[in-house]
Structures are given as structure tokens and as C-alpha cells.
Amino acid sequence: MFLCAGRLDLVNADTLGWWLCERQLPSGGLNGRPEKLPDVCYSWWVLASLNMLGRLHWVDKERLQTFISACQDSEGGFADRPGNMPDPFHTLFGLAALSLLGDQTLEVVDPTYCMPRNVIEKLGLSPQRLTVS
């Protein structure tokens, strides 16, 4: 079935939320599909999706925060995995994921736009409010 943007009401939130939560591995990190390694960027993609589904509380936040922190280098950048070279892509998604996890030292990031909510307001954009089944 083809789903159009803005039709989250057609998605079974529990089934999709379960599949997304199954992406969390013993390391605490999240992968994008079964049998793949965890990657900081999926911390954002999975958490944002769970947030939109109203299922953010289904992941082990402490384990995920530990994984994301292990991917940070001494200068503040984030890599895809612990020990790898940090880059802007993974740094953005690592910080955005930490914001969704409630890190009070970061601006609140909107899960739809991956931008701080105060920026969205300044631009006159309205956060999407999605209704799920």
C-alpha cells in the first residue's frame, strides 16, 4: 500500500512502533534494519518516528544515551559508532537524538523538521501534529 505524507492515520502505530523498538541492540544503539550494526544516525531516525507515533517511551533511553555518548569524541563531534571518526552528519543526528531523549542542555528539537523548535517558530512553520491509530 502506498502511503502519502500526512496520512499517518493509516499506519498501525503499535506494529510500526514495535518494529522500530526492535532496532535497539544490546549495545543500546539502534540500527536501520535487522542484522545491521548500530549507528548514531538511527538514534535520530528511529526516535523521531517513535515520537511521531507516540511511542518514544518504548525504547531504553538510558542505554541509547550511553551508546550515543560513546560515539562522541573529545572535541564534541559524533561518529557513527564508538571509535570511528566524527562527522557533521552524525553530529547533527546525535545531538538531535539527545534532545528527543530530554537532554536539558540542548534546544528542544522538533521530530518532523529536525530543527530546534524556536527556529521553526521564527520561520513561521507549524509543527505537524499527527494522529495515529
Side-chain angles (χ1 to χ4, degrees):
M1 169 190 283
F2 177 73
L3 298 177
C4 296
R7 293 305 315 262
L8 196 56
D9 60 305
L10 298 175
V11 174
N12 181 311
D14 285 341
T15 301
L16 180 55
W18 169 85
W19 188 87
L20 290 166
C21 288
E22 286 293 308
R23 307 286 45 89
Q24 191 162 35
L25 301 172
S27 67
L30 298 160
N31 65 15
R33 59 188 190 273
E35 305 302 322
K36 294 294 181 179
L37 295 173
D39 188 317
V40 161
C41 66
Y42 287 109
S43 301
W44 164 256
W45 297 115
V46 172
L47 286 181
S49 298
L50 287 169
N51 186 290
M52 288 184 238
L53 294 170
R55 307 298 189 274
L56 187 61
H57 60 283
W58 285 9
V59 294
D60 186 328
K61 293 178 182 180
E62 287 183 30
R63 284 182 35 227
L64 182 53
Q65 286 170 324
T66 299
F67 174 79
I68 296 170
S69 295
C71 296
Q72 187 175 20
D73 75 351
S74 61
E75 295 179 20
F78 290 84
D80 58 345
R81 291 178 196 88
N84 287 354
M85 184 68 83
D87 61 74
F89 177 83
H90 289 93
T91 299
L92 167 68
F93 290 128
L95 290 170
L98 289 172
S99 174
L100 284 181
L101 290 169
D103 187 318
Q104 299 294 310
T105 65
L106 299 169
E107 294 286 334
V108 175
V109 173
D110 183 86
T112 303
Y113 295 107
C114 191
M115 294 171 56
R117 285 212 174 130
N118 63 354
V119 171
I120 292 169
E121 291 168 5
K122 287 178 186 175
L123 293 173
L125 300 172
S126 61
Q128 292 189 8
R129 298 294 171 234
L130 305 170
T131 305
V132 294
S133 57

